[in-house]
């Protein structure tokens, strides 16, 4: 299965503004970072990579920036689908589809259909995604009080119609902020958090590798205590 890593790709706008360029330039250069991390991920032991590309709250941005992002997503899907297919990457878009432009929806459907056989990396790109909205939508799918497994299944279905639920192992946020911003709140219950000051357009394979090295040093206890500490405690 491999690790499930999520990335909040932040800092594109500030990266561009620091260079006196339009914010969309930061997003465009950020798309190259997407390609770099997707290429690097399988060799680093990542089986599922979920990227936060457009939050449902991003609709509040100026219409020109929103339109520019959707254009970029569409172009990226068109240009990268074949590369993904050849590299064994299965691409899925998670989030709410009903508000997306038709040409983007078509590019999504085409990309998902053409990469359906990929087994090296499951790439999930979150567009018009809100974790809270997904949790609420999941409850609408359930008639009775669900078990955790039933709830997980409903939650997966709320963001994509064919998606296994996978807990997040590592959540990376670039761009210097230290918050979750409504991304995978349920799935990240025991995720290790890694915050990088590097802006997303500057992020590459070496930064991803550094995040995974930091992750490997973490002691994941899932609420339990270390075996050694248990002995000390029972002896006292
Ligand atoms: C956050 O930076 C980033 C986004 C809202 C868009 C992310 C999009 C890309 C990386 C483009 C390519 C993606 C794909 C999947 C092709 P920000 O604008 O909030 O930066 P700021 O905090 O500096 O303003």
């Amino acid at each position: 299965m491999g690790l499930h890593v999520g990335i909040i790709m932040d800092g594109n706008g500030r990266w561009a503004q620091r260079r006196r360029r339009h914010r969309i330039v930061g997003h465009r250069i950020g798309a190259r970072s997407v390609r770099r991390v997707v290429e690097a991920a399988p060799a680093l032991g990542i089986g599922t990579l979920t990227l936060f590309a457009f939050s449902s709250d991003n609709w509040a941005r100026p219409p020109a920036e929103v339109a520019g992002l959707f254009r970029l997503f569409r172009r990226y899907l068109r240009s990268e689908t074949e590369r993904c297919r050849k590299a064994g990457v299965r691409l899925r878009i998670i989030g709410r589809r009903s508000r997306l432009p038709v040409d983007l929806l078509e590019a999504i459907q085409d990309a998902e259909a053409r990469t359906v056989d990929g087994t090296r990396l499951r790439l999930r790109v979150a567009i018009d995604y809100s974790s809270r909205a997904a949790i609420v939508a999941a409850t609408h799918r359930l008639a009775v009080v669900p078990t955790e497994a039933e709830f997980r299944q409903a939650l997966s279905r709320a963001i994509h119609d064919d998606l296994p639920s996978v807990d997040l192992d590592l959540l990376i946020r670039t761009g210097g902020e230290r918050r979750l911003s409504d991304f995978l709140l349920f799935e990240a219950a025991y995720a290790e958090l890694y915050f990088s000051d590097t802006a997303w357009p500057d992020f590459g394979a070496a930064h991803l590798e550094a995040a995974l090295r930091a992750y490997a040093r973490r002691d994941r206890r899932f609420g339990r205590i270390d075996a050694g500490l248990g002995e000390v405690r029972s002896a006292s």
Side-chain angles (χ1 to χ4, degrees):
M1 277 298 274
L3 293 176
H4 182 188
V5 174
I7 307 184
I8 301 177
M9 308 181 287
D10 197 17
N12 293 348
R14 282 167 287 156
W15 184 94
Q17 283 165 334
R18 276 198 296 274
R19 289 161 177 78
R20 303 194 185 288
R21 308 291 300 273
H22 287 295
R23 294 173 54 84
I24 197 67
V25 176
H27 298 315
R28 215 174 284 148
I29 306 298
R32 296 186 194 160
S33 306
V34 172
R35 182 189 286 176
R36 289 198 295 266
V37 300
V38 169
E39 280 175 357
L44 295 172
I46 298 173
T48 305
L49 181 64
T50 305
L51 303 176
F52 204 3
F54 189 87
S55 145
S56 296
D57 291 323
N58 289 152
W59 285 107
R61 293 191 176 199
E65 182 171 344
V66 172
L69 277 167
F70 288 162
R71 247 193 324 272
L72 187 60
F73 297 152
R74 196 191 62 219
R75 274 200 220 123
Y76 181 90
L77 288 170
R78 293 218 175 119
S79 67
E80 298 300 302
T81 295
E82 192 49 25
R83 188 190 290 266
C84 285
R85 195 189 63 75
K86 284 192 183 137
V89 175
R90 180 166 188 185
L91 181 60
R92 285 183 178 109
I93 304 300
I94 61 169
R96 182 173 164 181
R97 296 191 182 206
S98 58
R99 300 187 287 193
L100 301 182
V102 172
D103 54 1
L104 176 56
L105 273 176
E106 285 167 1
I108 289 172
Q109 279 153 6
D110 180 60
E112 291 188 336
R114 279 169 52 201
T115 62
V116 73
D117 293 329
T119 53
R120 253 181 102 229
L121 178 70
R122 287 168 296 277
L123 174 62
R124 301 170 174 189
V125 179
I127 298 179
D128 197 359
Y129 175 85
S130 153
S131 186
R132 279 186 179 169
I135 290 168
V136 172
T139 64
H140 294 168
R141 293 171 168 265
L142 293 157
V144 290
V145 177
T147 62
E148 187 178 316
E150 286 162 347
F151 181 79
R152 281 171 183 271
Q153 196 182 24
L155 184 59
S156 297
R157 292 270 157 78
I159 54 173
H160 193 285
D161 53 20
D162 168 31
L163 190 81
S165 156
V166 192
D167 277 346
L168 199 61
D169 295 302
L170 170 64
L171 175 56
I172 300 171
R173 181 175 188 137
T174 66
E177 311 283 5
R178 280 146 174 74
R179 53 177 172 261
L180 301 184
S181 300
D182 204 10
F183 186 52
L184 300 176
L185 301 180
F186 184 90
E187 296 84 344
Y190 278 101
E192 296 296 329
L193 306 181
Y194 180 89
F195 297 106
S196 163
D197 289 332
T198 303
W200 179 250
D202 291 328
F203 200 86
H207 297 89
L208 184 62
E209 211 178 322
L212 284 155
R213 270 201 307 274
Y215 169 82
R217 288 194 298 269
R218 304 272 176 96
D219 179 18
R220 300 189 82 197
R221 292 193 299 273
F222 299 94
R224 296 187 289 266
I225 55 172
D226 283 334
L229 286 175
E231 281 158 30
V232 173
R233 201 175 265 188
S234 54
S236 63

